[in-house]
Amino acid sequence: MTPSDSMPAPLDAEYFRTRLLDWFDHHGRSQLPWQQERTPYRVWVSEIMLQQTQVATVIDYFQRFMARFPDVESLAAAELDEVLHLWTGLGYYARARNLHRAARCVVEAYGGHFPVENVEALSALPGIGRSTAGAIIAQATGQRAPILDGNVKRVLSRLHGVGGWPGRPAVERRLWQLAEHYTPHWRCADFTQAMMDMGATLCTRRRPACLLCPFVDDCVAHRAGEETRYPESKPKKTTPLRHTLMLMLIDEEGRVLLEQRPASGLWGGLWGLPQFDDETQLRDWLDSHAPGSRFGERRQPFVHAFTHFRLEITPLTAHLSRGSAGVAEGQHWYDPLQPASLGLAAPVKALLDAQTTLL
DNA sequence: AATCCGGGGAA
DNA sequence: TTCCCAGGATT
C-alpha cells in the first residue's frame, strides 16, 4: 500500500504550522529549566528524564542533576552509583545507566561534543532512539528533526483518525510519515515543543479540551465525537493457558509428599507437589521413586491465574501401600493434621486443605 | 518486525 | 487495581 492510496490527505503543512505556532506563542511552555541555556547536554539529560515521565515530576530531578553534573565531563567521570542515587524515585533506572554510559561514550569518542549533526550517530548512543534523537536535535540546534512521542502520537492519530494501536508497525509508520509531513525547517524547536505541549495540556488522553484547540474544525476524531478512541490501546493479550499434573502421593498415615522447588523461578523456594507435564512422566517417576505405590485417581482440574499466564492444574493421587518411603533431601512428608510451617504455593495449599477435609 | 522491559503516577 | 506514559533495547 502506498501512502497516497486510501489514506486521508493530511492538512496543508504550512496551514498546520502557522496555526500550531500561533497557539504555542500564546499557550506553549517556554520557561522550563531545560529551555534556558539550551546546550545539547542539558537538552539530552532532560529528554532522557522526560521519557515516560511527566514534566512536573522531572523538574526537581533535573535541577539537582545539573547542580551535581553541570557538564558531560563531570557526568562521565562520576561513579554509576552516584548517578543512580540522583535518579532514585524517577523510575526506569536503565535510563540512568544508559545516560552514564552515553556520557562516557561522548567524552571518549567525540571529545565531549554531542554528535547533534546527524541522527544516526546520536541514536547510536545508549538510551537515545529515533524520537529522542529528533527531540535533542530540534531543541538543541533548531535543525529540522521530527519526533514521535506519546503526545505527538495522540495528537496526530486524533487529527487524522489513525486507527490501530501505535505499537503496530504499520500504524507507527503512518504516524512518522505525518510527523515528517508537518515538521518545518523554521522554528523547529518551537514546533516540536508545541506538538508536545498540545498533547500534554490540550489533547490529553482523557477529557481533551477540544474547544480550545486550534484544530477543532480539522480534527477527524473530534468531528466524529470520538476523541478518546484514539490512539487505540494495546490489545489485551489473552494470557496463555498451560497445563500441569500435580501428584499427591499419600502414605498409610495420610501424609502427603512435598518437594522444595528451585530457589529461582516460579514459586521459587516454596514447597510444592511433584509436577509433571503428562501422565507418562508421572508413572515413570512413581516407578523409580515409590515402587510400592498404587495409582489413585485423577481429580477435577482447576485453573490458577498468574500475571503472564494461566495454569490448569490436574491433581492426581497415588498411595503408598507399605509404610512411608524415606525422606530424601528437599522432600517432606506433610501431615495435614499437624502441618509444619512451610512456604506453600497457593494452589498447593488449596489442595492440601482440601485433602484435610477428606480425612 | 515483534516482543520484552521498566517504575511511578493517575484514575 | 489497572492502565499507560516526553521509548529503547533485544531478539
Side-chain angles (χ1 to χ4, degrees):
Chain A
M1 178 166 70
T2 59
S4 54
D5 289 338
S6 69
M7 293 228 197
L11 301 176
D12 176 75
E14 202 50 49
Y15 163 85
F16 182 83
R17 296 161 184 163
T18 302
R19 296 203 69 134
L20 181 72
L21 288 170
D22 185 61
W23 175 86
F24 177 76
D25 288 336
H26 292 96
H27 306 288
R29 295 181 284 198
S30 58
Q31 302 300 320
L32 299 171
W34 44 88
Q35 292 176 319
Q36 327 303 324
E37 194 188 341
R38 294 197 189 199
T39 65
Y41 172 71
R42 289 168 59 86
V43 169
W44 167 55
V45 172
S46 76
E47 290 298 334
I48 301 301
M49 286 187 169
L50 286 162
Q51 287 171 359
Q52 313 286 54
T53 311
Q54 296 187 352
V55 167
T57 306
V58 164
I59 290 178
D60 288 342
Y61 284 89
F62 180 81
Q63 305 283 36
R64 285 194 294 269
F65 201 91
M66 283 302 146
R68 173 60 187 87
F69 304 121
D71 48 49
V72 68
E73 285 81 8
S74 58
L75 177 57
E79 293 295 326
L80 175 59
D81 279 340
E82 191 178 1
V83 180
L84 287 168
H85 177 68
L86 280 174
W87 209 270
T88 299
L90 255 190
Y92 287 106
Y93 300 96
R95 294 184 297 172
R97 286 189 285 273
N98 286 333
L99 195 76
H100 187 237
R101 272 206 299 151
R104 295 191 162 175
C105 184
V106 167
V107 168
E108 289 168 15
Y110 300 104
H113 170 80
F114 276 86
V116 285
E117 292 76 23
N118 70 72
V119 192
E120 285 73 22
L122 205 51
S123 54
L125 292 170
I128 301 180
R130 182 176 175 184
S131 184
T132 300
I136 293 172
I137 290 173
Q139 293 303 317
T141 75
Q143 293 301 298
R144 181 178 183 277
I147 65 167
L148 189 64
D149 62 18
N151 287 313
V152 179
K153 285 176 183 172
R154 191 164 53 248
V155 170
L156 291 177
S157 62
R158 284 176 178 170
L159 184 64
H160 298 93
V162 177
W165 177 49
R168 272 173 43 191
V171 178
E172 188 172 358
R173 270 202 307 278
R174 174 60 175 158
L175 293 175
W176 269 113
Q177 188 181 39
L178 290 167
E180 290 270 6
H181 172 72
Y182 289 124
T183 302
H185 288 85
W186 293 356
R187 292 193 69 183
C188 189
D190 286 346
F191 177 88
T192 57
Q193 187 63 46
M195 289 294 283
M196 293 189 282
D197 288 352
M198 282 265 301
T201 67
L202 212 61
C203 197
T204 53
R205 191 158 61 90
R206 281 183 275 263
R207 297 170 177 256
C210 296
L211 296 183
L212 301 177
C213 177
F215 304 107
V216 60
D217 294 327
D218 304 303
C219 181
V220 171
H222 178 68
R223 288 201 307 241
E226 295 182 328
E227 299 89 346
T228 57
R229 179 180 155 187
Y230 304 94
E232 288 183 21
S233 54
K234 180 179 181 176
K236 290 178 183 175
K237 48 187 173 186
T238 58
T239 55
L241 181 64
R242 303 185 198 168
H243 306 269
T244 192
L245 301 179
M246 284 192 180
L247 170 66
M248 299 187 71
L249 182 60
I250 304 165
D251 70 6
E252 287 186 314
E253 299 174 30
R255 297 182 297 185
V256 182
L257 180 67
L258 296 183
E259 290 183 334
Q260 189 166 30
R261 299 181 54 84
S264 64
L266 189 63
W267 295 324
L270 299 182
W271 290 82
L273 298 163
Q275 274 182 248
F276 306 93
D277 293 339
D278 55 52
E279 203 169 308
T280 304
Q281 282 186 14
L282 186 149
R283 287 181 183 279
D284 289 348
W285 186 91
L286 277 179
D287 286 344
S288 56
H289 291 78
S293 62
R294 60 187 168 80
F295 198 76
E297 58 185 1
R298 177 184 283 258
R299 294 187 179 169
Q300 182 63 38
F302 63 98
V303 175
H304 184 74
F306 292 95
T307 315
H308 301 91
F309 64 95
R310 293 174 299 152
L311 186 64
E312 186 190 55
I313 297 167
T314 304
L316 288 155
T317 62
H319 296 271
L320 278 177
S321 48
R322 296 186 303 274
S324 293
V327 177
E329 180 68 25
Q331 291 186 334
H332 173 81
W333 284 98
Y334 180 88
D335 188 343
L337 300 178
Q338 294 179 321
S341 303
L342 300 175
L344 295 172
V348 173
K349 176 169 168 35
L351 282 170
L352 292 173
D353 288 346
Q355 183 66 18
T356 305
T357 62
L358 288 179
L359 296 178

